Amino acid sequence: MSVTASQVHGAVQTLTQSSDTLFLLLGAIMVFLMHAGFAFLEVGTVRHKNQVNALVKILADFGISALAYFFIGYWVAYGANFFADAQTLSQGNGYELVKFFFLLTFAAAIPAIVSGGIAERARFYPVLIATFFTVGLVYPVFEGMIWNGNFGLQAWFESQFGYGFHDFAGSVVVHGVGGWIALVAVIFLGMRKGRIRAGKHTNFAPSNIPFLALGAWILCVGWFGFNVMSAQTLNGISGLVAMNSLMAMVGGIVAALIAGKNDPGFIHNGPLAGLVAICAGSDLMHPIGALITGAIAGALFVYLFTYLQNRTKIDDVLGVWPLHGVCGAWGGVAAGIFGQTALGGLGGVSLTVQVLGTVTGIAVAVIGALIVYGIIDKLSGLRLSEEDEFNGADLAIHKISSTSED
């Protein structure tokens, strides 16, 4: 029996669709696993009386994020919904469904980032309500503007400057937005009790360095799914993205090692700072540019976190604003610097647009967070009572401690 050209074409197309679906599914699973990294990073950093709450928050936030993004957020960003029959939804080997899963893991990173900043004194259900609205409305507005061309922002950038805003894997779209939302939430909540003693700042030591380190390692590994698989198809996969992610991570480690004076908390957050910063331009930069980008991010995190904890009333427990907000913004700008052909990059990017797009992302995040957290704070309050905060969120909210009393 002869095989027609159309049959061959159909078989190749099916194989391609299946391969792309599997590729993106593996990426979604890797990024989903990163949420365990967020959880253990927070568990290791907070005091023992808040460890259960840290674990529960990350998982509960993911569940609420999934509902918000499924019913509202994905539609806001991409104009698509899931109210068709299963046969229609599963066309093309279900690639669009897996794409939703992949992008959901990005969206759910927003409350996971916020969680680390507001740890140890936030009420449980008000924060989950905030998660629903930030993932369902605030984040998708900017996501759709950059990754789907909504509201004509990208078209305007291209017409005025020749290039659109480039954010390959979300330095600004995900991390920057999450970090600036977290800053607003942290300011609403205020400082933890006991941070100021005799007029001086007191820092609470991490409760479990091994858990903190485990969280950082899980995040580092998962980040290669976050960055490399942002190509979303096998045909688009780039070894340059993997190499640049590696070099930015290394730059962050070394810079945090030096600037942080061997402090294990800084050393394990350094690679994360580098990886946040490289997301935007990982497909454009030369590996040396990526190394420099990551090193600057690592140093930025150490100095800003130290300043916040010792000189201000901004009590950002895990330093998520420096790590994600500032390093994410730096990553957006860095793509416009080290993506230039003059510095070994691939070009096709404008520094002016990168700055404007980054500022736009910050504005959307801050305004959206002010509305969401401001309303919730007025209606129900965001902070635990002084007694509950003293006893710890584990007992106050979940009625159980992380360790046995035996």
Side-chain angles (χ1 to χ4, degrees), residues 206-217:
S207 61
N208 193 311
I209 295 294
F211 275 167
L212 185 158
L214 175 62
W217 275 104

Side-chain angles (χ1 to χ4, degrees), residues 85-95 97:
D85 59 78
Q87 183 175 359
T88 302
L89 292 174
S90 62
Q91 288 179 355
N93 299 102
Y95 176 82
L97 299 179

Side-chain angles (χ1 to χ4, degrees), residues 377-389:
D377 190 44
K378 289 292 185 183
L379 293 178
S380 67
L382 288 165
R383 184 157 180 162
L384 290 172
S385 68
E386 190 169 339
E387 180 181 359
D388 284 345
E389 184 180 343

